[in-house]
Amino acid sequence: MGKLMRFPSAVRRDPAIEAWFSKPDDEVRRFARPWFEQMRGCGADVRELLHDGHPTACVGDAAFGYVNAFTAHVNVGFFHGAMLDDPAGLLEGIGKRMRHVKLRFAQQVNPVALRELIAAAYRDIRLRLTSAE
């Protein structure tokens, strides 16, 4: 099933993430927030932390998704995105495991397809955790 990114310091709600989203005058971070909220809402077992300076969602301590804000876009990323089914063709990247969806203010995103990717990433990491036991 592949290696898992493990973060034993992940917690139910990390105050550092709220601070990250609340940075004054950072509209791009606010644009990312609903997608991280979607990750948070996947299940009672979702934990979080700031990893490499951006909000990361885990099931227990195993990472499944993140958001990151850049100057003109947001990435909604998946640690095992290369293995996710993506019928809408939203995923970008060429890494061995990771993929992301790039969101820009001026471009429409398929919110249904992105919500399904987030849910699929959550289900995928739960399966990986079960297989790792």
Side-chain angles (χ1 to χ4, degrees):
M1 286 291 253
K3 293 184 178 185
L4 300 178
M5 292 281 295
R6 296 280 181 131
F7 298 104
S9 62
V11 295
R12 180 76 179 132
R13 289 289 179 265
D14 186 344
I17 289 179
E18 188 59 38
W20 189 91
F21 282 117
S22 299
K23 184 178 175 188
D25 302 321
D26 198 332
E27 191 175 349
V28 180
R29 288 184 185 200
R30 286 188 293 281
F31 186 51
R33 185 179 201 122
W35 301 111
F36 194 73
E37 292 295 338
Q38 187 76 33
M39 291 177 195
R40 280 176 162 167
C42 285
D45 54 356
V46 174
R47 301 295 180 261
E48 63 190 40
L49 75 155
L50 281 183
H51 169 65
D52 285 345
H54 52 268
T56 301
C58 304
V59 169
D61 68 349
F64 73 93
Y66 67 91
V67 297
N68 203 358
F70 298 91
T71 304
H73 73 278
V74 164
N75 279 357
V76 178
F78 305 99
F79 285 84
H80 294 274
M83 286 62 95
L84 296 177
D85 187 30
D86 180 23
L90 299 180
L91 292 170
E92 298 181 26
I94 57 170
K96 186 175 181 178
R97 292 183 184 91
M98 295 182 76
R99 294 288 184 277
H100 64 274
V101 177
K102 193 174 289 188
L103 306 176
R104 298 180 190 283
F105 285 111
Q107 294 177 334
Q108 290 283 29
V109 64
N110 181 335
V112 173
L114 184 48
R115 281 192 296 269
E116 181 50 39
L117 279 174
I118 291 169
Y122 171 76
R123 289 189 305 268
D124 176 75
I125 199 67
R126 288 180 52 107
L127 286 171
R128 289 174 188 281
L129 284 165
T130 301
S131 296
E133 292 176 350

